[in-house]
Amino acid sequence: MSAGFSNIMDSNSYSGGPDADPLIEARSRVLGPAYRLFYDNPVHLVRGQGTKLYDAEGREYLDAYNNVASVGHCHPHVIDAVTRQMSTLNTHTRYLHETIVEYSQRLLASMPDEVDQVMYACTGSEANDLALRVAAKYTGATGVIVTEEAYHGNTEAVYAISPSMGAEALGPHVRAVSPRLERAEIAAAIADLQQGGFGVSALVVDTIFSSDGIHPDPSILAPAVAAVRAAGGVLIADEVQPGFGRTGDGMWGFTRHGVVPDLVTMGKPMANGMPVSAMAARSDVLAGFATVVPYFNTFGGNPVSMAAAAAVLDVIEGEGLISNAATVGGALSAEVARLAADHPRIGQVRGAGLYLGVEVLDDAGLPDRAGAKGIVNAMRERRVLISVCGGDGNVLKIRPPLVFSMADVDRFVAEFGGVLASFGV
Ligand SMILES: Cc1ncc(COP(=O)(O)O)c(C=O)c1O
């Protein structure tokens, strides 16, 4: 891989071409080189509805990738709630307002009893940044353990705990372990942090291990958490990806692992596209920070954000989206696994709910980055949107809005089967 290559940013990114669209050229002129576009043939979207997206020429795409518009693109209940609140009042948390209190009560009711307070921000990065500060205050330590392809965001502090951004990202106080969280690795990371004088502040994990390639095994996290706690650290469960029902067996990914986190961070699907994020906490863990550091986030927790977030909870509950994730996700997984059985170059099909990872292998059974990219681009040409993840860039990432239907599964499977046949994989 070239210097500066990042799996999460570059595994499925457009790399330019002689006949670039004028919009691409204009975009790169004003945004500069840090931004990436998906696909060899980038998609210019202008409209969305449910699980469907439409490009500037009016072509329809099946969205099997986007987890932000989790209750479906342009859901009318969310639009209505946002429009009504936006037309009434939008201020901030220095004034009293019911929405933030009522929403917090609902959100915390979905958490274990121990997790009883919540603070708001606008992005997952900010929520994780805040969680690191809280953990450091509580533990008196700064050492952090993450998984080797983790992505936790883009502030300076969370970039430093995001090895997927490249080797230069990692801070001296961070140790990366495999997503198998093997006991010996965790023990070595703890010992190393202690010897380095950092101590152990937190284990930070995305509880579905998204950028590590999607690893749903529910037996590995609890022993790692026990070891970290014995060394004085806390568990920060990053629910930005698995949270809000995606894994099909409850609201939160950590529940599958049988652990109660000290801090829980969330964002992306929380308000269906409005920039809303949060950090929930055990109040005893939060107290040391919150009693000495006043907190204000201009946009975090404002009435419009809270209205949008509450509307998302309404839809998750009212449309039974957690059980939909389980049922439709189960059907999708079974159908993809059935296709995979006929294709030696498709390896493991794994996941939970509506979050699926599908390994693409070469003839020797090794990870095939180019093959995975080829499949993703071929699916895009058939107007089905997916992407890739994993340290080797060879795991197809299938993560549709939670309103994915059985008819969507049929369309997905028909196109996926066609792509596998045409690839000879
Ligand atoms: C697991 C995880 N944590 C944190 C973040 C950062 O969230 P944001 O982009 O909202 O800052 C992301 C974003 O992709 C993520 O996937």
Side-chain angles (χ1 to χ4, degrees):
M1 294 293 103
S2 60
F5 179 90
S6 154
N7 272 313
I8 197 168
M9 295 294 284
D10 293 311
S11 289
N12 174 32
S13 66
Y14 171 72
S15 52
D19 53 351
D21 185 312
L23 186 57
I24 297 176
E25 285 178 354
R27 174 184 139 118
S28 69
R29 218 172 300 123
V30 291
L31 300 186
Y35 282 80
R36 302 289 189 273
L37 282 166
F38 277 153
Y39 308 116
D40 290 344
N41 178 14
V43 183
H44 176 186
L45 297 170
V46 296
R47 192 165 66 85
Q49 192 66 57
T51 57
K52 307 298 182 325
L53 290 162
Y54 300 86
D55 70 13
E57 274 76 45
R59 288 177 294 235
E60 183 194 86
Y61 295 74
L62 177 63
D63 186 358
Y65 177 75
N66 286 291
N67 60 341
V68 171
S70 186
V71 301
H73 293 278
C74 298
H75 195 290
H77 184 64
V78 181
I79 295 170
D80 188 45
V82 169
T83 310
R84 260 195 289 155
Q85 189 57 51
M86 196 74 186
S87 319
T88 310
L89 176 77
N90 199 18
T91 51
H92 52 75
T93 52
R94 306 294 291 274
Y95 301 107
L96 282 169
H97 203 273
E98 291 81 1
T99 55
I100 192 167
V101 177
E102 288 165 7
Y103 178 74
S104 300
Q105 288 165 342
R106 280 177 84 181
L107 184 75
L108 291 170
S110 73
M111 297 266 170
D113 290 346
E114 296 90 329
V115 179
D116 57 349
Q117 289 182 337
V118 56
M119 296 169 69
Y120 294 96
C122 308
T123 65
S125 300
E126 284 175 276
N128 280 329
D129 191 297
L130 181 61
L132 289 180
R133 294 172 70 198
V134 172
K137 201 79 181 166
Y138 179 71
T139 60
T142 55
V144 174
I145 301 172
V146 292
T147 53
E148 63 201 6
E149 273 303 316
Y151 180 71
H152 296 292
N154 63 14
T155 70
E156 187 164 5
V158 295
Y159 178 75
I161 64 160
S162 295
S164 63
M165 296 305 283
E168 68 281 7
L170 227 56
H173 59 297
V174 183
R175 298 294 176 274
V177 298
S178 82
R180 294 179 301 282
L181 304 180
E182 280 161 11
R183 274 162 211 256
E185 287 180 287
I186 299 285
I190 289 171
D192 207 31
L193 287 172
Q194 287 168 334
Q195 276 156 25
F198 301 107
V200 181
S201 181
L203 169 67
V204 186
V205 285
D206 163 351
T207 60
I208 190 72
F209 303 93
S210 315
S211 49
D212 281 287
I214 307 164
H215 298 281
D217 181 353
S219 70
I220 56 170
L221 184 54
V225 173
V228 165
R229 283 187 172 142
V234 299
L235 170 63
I236 301 175
D238 181 335
E239 293 286 331
V240 165
Q241 296 266 348
F244 294 95
R246 175 147 303 270
T247 57
D249 40 15
M251 276 282 279
W252 307 110
F254 63 75
T255 316
R256 301 178 57 253
H257 297 271
V259 296
V260 175
D262 301 283
L263 299 162
V264 183
T265 56
M266 64 204 82
K268 284 188 192 292
M270 189 169 182
N272 218 44
M274 294 285 288
V276 181
S277 73
M279 179 203 67
R282 282 176 28 183
S283 47
D284 57 325
V285 173
L286 181 59
F289 174 86
T291 50
V292 295
V293 183
Y295 181 77
F296 179 61
N297 184 311
T298 299
F299 303 112
N302 75 38
V304 172
S305 295
M306 293 294 93
V312 165
L313 292 187
D314 294 342
V315 179
I316 291 174
E317 289 160 19
E319 296 185 14
L321 293 186
I322 298 179
S323 69
N324 192 67
T327 313
V328 177
L332 180 63
S333 172
E335 285 297 300
V336 170
R338 185 180 57 75
L339 287 174
D342 293 335
H343 295 277
R345 286 182 52 201
I346 298 295
Q348 231 184 27
V349 177
R350 55 182 183 243
L354 275 168
Y355 210 143
L356 237 64
V358 180
E359 284 182 344
V360 182
L361 308 173
D362 64 15
D363 290 334
L366 297 170
D368 185 357
R369 180 187 295 272
K373 191 175 177 199
I375 290 173
V376 167
N377 279 293
M379 289 293 278
R380 178 258 174 266
E381 291 307 320
R382 290 167 178 255
R383 303 205 301 275
V384 178
L385 304 181
I386 59 170
S387 191
V388 282
C389 58
D392 296 309
N394 74 314
V395 180
L396 305 177
K397 177 158 75 170
I398 305 168
R399 188 195 54 183
L402 297 186
V403 287
F404 215 60
S405 67
M406 288 298 188
D408 293 331
V409 171
D410 290 346
R411 176 164 164 200
F412 183 94
V413 169
E415 300 298 357
F416 191 56
V419 167
L420 293 189
S422 68
F423 262 69
V425 297

